[in-house]
Amino acid sequence: TDISLPADAPKQLLPEKHADFLLQYCSSQDNYEYVMTEYLRMSGLYWTASALDLLGRLPDLRQRMDAAAFLRDCARPDGGYGPAPGHDSHLLYTLSAVQVALLFDLRDSLDAGAIAGFVRGLQRPDGSFQGDRWGEVDTRFSFCALAALFLLGLGDRLDDLVDARAAGDFVLTCANWDGGFGTRPGSESHSGQVYCCIGALSILGRLHELDVDRTALWLAERQLASGGLNGRPEKLPDVCYSWWVLASLAMLGRLSWISGERLLRFVCAAQDPEAGGIADRPGDLCDPFHTLFGLAGASLLRLGGDSLKAINPTFCLPVDCLDRHGLRLPLWTGD
Ligand code: GRG
């Protein structure tokens, strides 16, 4: 299952167009798509702001919105964050809120103790994390929990705040025979979950416990003839896997296991050459989610020229943003 790239599809990355698209998306707040995505607004703001920062255009968004007020309005009494004012807290939006705070230099306005308390309260005895008080368990939430604590500057206190050992053990039990990882022990391997599991293990300093080559081989097999990557065998390629797969390979020190040039050609073909933005596949509707992950993948490949800042593969934030906040996670070389 694959697609063929249209002959007239764009062949170069169009960074300025994407900045215009992202800023335009935020300012047309009464369009159908914007209204219908309220339930994930905090993550939407992170995707948009992170993409604009990669492009060097975050100041334009800062001028147009009050991120501090939005964060304040989404904070919940339990210490977590909801996606929008009036919504319940969830680990997904709590991580996004911390990422937004770093991008907008608002970390001091967060109550790190309250957030850490919220995260801690969601860990289960087997080391896994549930996303919210309703109890769904997923390796995405293991990543969100650990990444949020690390980005709050609490990386050296993980052991005091949660059961870090059990958190890593649980993630390792979600590894499958094929080298991939799923949502829970025994669940099907999926690139998005692989990213979350490898990200969690990178924060915990436990990547060496993996069969790195087996996982990297499963990830490399995600590249199709079109150059695009899929999330699991027999599925269509999608630009967002340029991030989930590539960042995982980068964390494993195996970025060269796929063809960067062919992947970039696929990402470029999924751009809208007029209005800007990147879609899941050529010809589809563009959105901030695919725009961020297409640009972030291109940044990892260092093939976008000078138009893109360098990105950190664990946290999907520009390296200079992490540096500014004194957050350093040693990059594992995979040896
Ligand atoms: C800091 C970047 C960052 C993320 C936070 C929430 C999270 C951590 C990561 C999500 C990882 C994930 C599960 C991504 C996959 C998203 C996706 C497109 C799922 C689609 O699944 P299907 O079954 O699509 O609809 P396929 O491609 O398998 O057919």
Side-chain angles (χ1 to χ4, degrees):
T1 333
D2 198 4
I3 59 152
S4 43
L5 304 185
D8 60 347
K11 302 207 169 33
Q12 306 287 329
L13 209 55
L14 308 165
E16 261 123 61
K17 290 268 178 195
H18 300 320
D20 294 345
F21 167 79
L22 292 161
L23 291 165
Q24 174 64 31
Y25 193 93
C26 296
S27 36
S28 44
Q29 304 202 345
D30 47 5
N31 83 16
Y32 176 78
E33 242 192 289
Y34 190 93
V35 172
M36 292 309 282
T37 51
E38 186 188 71
Y39 69 95
L40 45 75
R41 184 79 63 236
M42 184 65 80
S43 294
L45 177 56
Y46 154 65
W47 302 329
T48 308
S50 200
L52 281 168
D53 198 10
L54 281 179
L55 294 162
R57 296 282 299 275
L58 187 56
D60 297 53
L61 183 60
R62 273 181 196 243
Q63 270 175 10
R64 288 169 201 221
M65 75 165 295
D66 186 348
F70 184 66
L71 283 171
R72 219 166 29 241
D73 291 346
C74 295
R76 305 295 298 176
D78 59 12
Y81 283 77
H87 290 244
D88 284 346
S89 53
H90 195 291
L91 275 176
L92 288 170
Y93 308 110
T94 303
L95 171 58
S96 295
V98 175
Q99 289 171 308
V100 166
L102 294 184
L103 287 163
F104 287 88
D105 292 325
L106 295 165
R107 194 169 75 168
D108 290 346
S109 72
L110 301 179
D111 184 342
I115 298 174
F118 172 72
V119 171
R120 179 197 186 92
L122 294 171
Q123 191 173 29
R124 296 163 70 116
D126 66 356
S128 66
F129 284 85
Q130 55 189 64
D132 60 13
R133 65 198 173 98
W134 301 109
E136 186 194 8
V137 167
D138 187 313
T139 43
R140 281 181 302 158
F141 311 148
S142 300
F143 174 75
C144 291
L146 297 168
L149 295 177
F150 184 92
L151 294 175
L152 284 168
L154 302 171
D156 50 4
R157 291 188 44 214
L158 285 183
D159 286 321
D160 309 328
L161 297 168
V162 291
D163 188 339
R165 185 84 218 159
D169 290 346
F170 175 79
V171 166
L172 286 166
T173 64
C174 298
N176 291 321
W177 61 270
D178 59 9
F181 289 78
T183 51
R184 285 182 290 277
S187 309
E188 181 189 0
S189 297
H190 192 285
S191 309
Q193 308 298 144
V194 174
Y195 166 78
C196 291
C197 291
I198 293 185
L201 294 173
S202 80
I203 295 169
L204 295 168
R206 293 181 67 177
L207 286 174
H208 59 278
E209 293 181 44
L210 284 178
D211 183 342
V212 172
D213 284 347
R214 185 151 54 151
T215 299
L217 187 62
W218 187 86
L219 289 164
E221 283 172 345
R222 307 280 55 79
Q223 189 159 38
L224 304 172
S226 63
L229 307 173
N230 64 10
R232 45 193 164 140
E234 308 302 327
K235 292 285 197 153
L236 284 173
D238 180 320
V239 160
C240 74
Y241 298 117
S242 312
W243 178 253
W244 313 120
V245 171
L246 226 51
S248 301
L249 284 170
M251 287 186 268
L252 296 177
R254 302 281 190 280
L255 203 52
S256 62
W257 285 30
I258 60 127
S259 161
E261 273 167 30
R262 284 181 37 241
L263 174 58
L264 191 63
R265 216 174 304 144
F266 178 86
V267 172
C268 287
Q271 301 175 111
D272 180 331
E274 268 99 52
I278 306 178
D280 57 354
R281 282 179 281 282
D284 287 353
L285 201 64
C286 298
D287 59 61
F289 177 88
H290 292 93
T291 303
L292 168 63
F293 294 123
L295 292 175
S299 162
L300 275 184
L301 293 170
R302 303 307 297 136
L303 291 174
D306 294 336
S307 60
L308 291 176
K309 291 186 186 180
I311 194 156
N312 174 284
T314 298
F315 302 108
C316 198
L317 286 170
V319 172
D320 71 342
C321 171
L322 294 173
D323 285 349
R324 198 166 69 233
H325 293 284
L327 297 166
R328 208 155 283 239
L329 184 66
L331 199 62
W332 193 58
T333 54
D335 302 325

